[in-house]
Amino acid sequence: MIVEFSIIPIGKGESLSQYIAKIIDIVDKSGLPYKLTAMGTIVEGEWDDIMELIKECHFKMREYCNRVYTKITIDDREKAKNRIEEKVRAGEEILGRKVSK
Amino acid sequence: MIVEFSIIPIGKGESLSQYIAKIIDIVDKSGLPYKLTAMGTIVEGEWDDIMELIKECHFKMREYCNRVYTKITIDDREKAKNRIEEKVRAGEEILGRKVSK
Amino acid sequence: MIVEFSIIPIGKGESLSQYIAKIIDIVDKSGLPYKLTAMGTIVEGEWDDIMELIKECHFKMREYCNRVYTKITIDDREKAKNRIEEKVRAGEEILGRKVSK
Amino acid sequence: MIVEFSIIPIGKGESLSQYIAKIIDIVDKSGLPYKLTAMGTIVEGEWDDIMELIKECHFKMREYCNRVYTKITIDDREKAKNRIEEKVRAGEEILGRKVSK
């Protein structure tokens, strides 16, 4: 399955990059395929592995912050694999031109 | 923590109530405090209990459907309890009038 | 269509009720049918009316806060009406018992 | 502001690429800076321009489908510009290494 998540510290000021960097570090070390976007992190894998990763990220943020807002979106499709890149490509293929950069 | 989730079967037609009812049944039997809304289910509890519940709901839906889209939003605040009702009441209290029905 | 939205001020501390109350006030005066939940506000109406309302709420929050995170979920179904209550009831009817409070 | 959105047709089968391609086409012609991800589209611009674009995409999907589920997430920060690439880079800079591909 493919999962997008974002973890937002509430009440730690307006600039969040220093906190987000700690999350990226955990994701990067997890070994799961992932992609950072401007709005979150997309990972691919099995439910338990992904949820364990998100839990670790969420509670790392809670060490810095008393209130954390975490958003998770799961797209789980039978037999679908390598979808972080594939889903963008499938849309482009039907459209007949490349728009991703 | 307080968590809202919704589980959407993709490709099972336009009317989803029969599938949603099976999810409600699982939530109701979980023993966790919850509230149904028109857009999802709000539950309160600890991370592991809630995620175990959502996992069960998600894979129940996958039995009926090859593609499932699940959305989870977590609001986790230190020491906050009984927030399913409290959060609405806190807003109303400051507003100075009751608007919930 | 039925729309859930939540507007989160980033960097204004951990307690958000005073800001949320201002949003509730705008929603209440809009005249659109709505329901507050612990995780957001659900409104029903046409696209333009709802988006105008959310825009007003978002920019009211921006007066207090340099960074605002707004989340909107739209469930738009042909000919469906009065769904704030109906969707919960439809699930319960199939389930065969009432679980909403 | 930076906005992520995804538009999901409900009840049009499991494979959605052909519908998603039509949305990509509208986004591409809008002239707004954007980036496709496996979970949605990220655009940057002003509220009215972005909401007009999402409205057009949503109702294009409604031509093909009686039920459409649209999800929008807005991150609006005072004076912040060129954030589609910048937000990823800011996290990497603090982390001290490049992880985006």
Side-chain angles (χ1 to χ4, degrees), chain C residues 58 67 70 72 74-76, chain D residues 58 67 70 72 74-76:
Chain C
H58 178 90
R67 188 171 187 175
T70 291
I72 305 170
I74 300 159
D75 180 3
D76 178 17
Chain D
H58 177 91
R67 187 170 189 177
T70 292
I72 304 169
I74 299 159
D75 180 2
D76 178 18

Side-chain angles (χ1 to χ4, degrees), chain C residues 4-45:
Chain C
E4 180 171 27
F5 70 98
S6 57
I7 296 180
I8 301 168
I10 305 288
K12 296 304 285 185
E14 192 189 317
S15 175
L16 307 179
S17 304
Q18 56 179 316
Y19 304 104
I20 302 300
K22 294 183 194 297
I23 301 305
I24 298 173
D25 190 40
I26 294 171
V27 175
D28 194 45
K29 288 174 177 162
S30 75
L32 290 173
Y34 74 98
K35 193 169 178 71
L36 298 182
T37 80
M39 295 298 274
T41 302
I42 301 174
V43 288
E44 189 165 15

Side-chain angles (χ1 to χ4, degrees), chain D residues 41-60:
Chain D
T41 302
I42 301 175
V43 288
E44 188 164 16
E46 299 301 316
W47 181 284
D48 287 341
D49 296 335
I50 290 174
M51 287 305 172
E52 194 57 41
L53 170 63
I54 297 175
K55 182 184 176 183
E56 191 183 341
C57 293
H58 177 91
F59 285 105
K60 171 56 72 180

Side-chain angles (χ1 to χ4, degrees), chain C residues 45-59:
Chain C
E46 300 300 317
W47 181 284
D48 288 341
D49 295 336
I50 291 174
M51 287 305 170
E52 194 55 42
L53 171 63
I54 297 176
K55 182 183 176 183
E56 191 182 341
C57 293
H58 178 90
F59 286 104

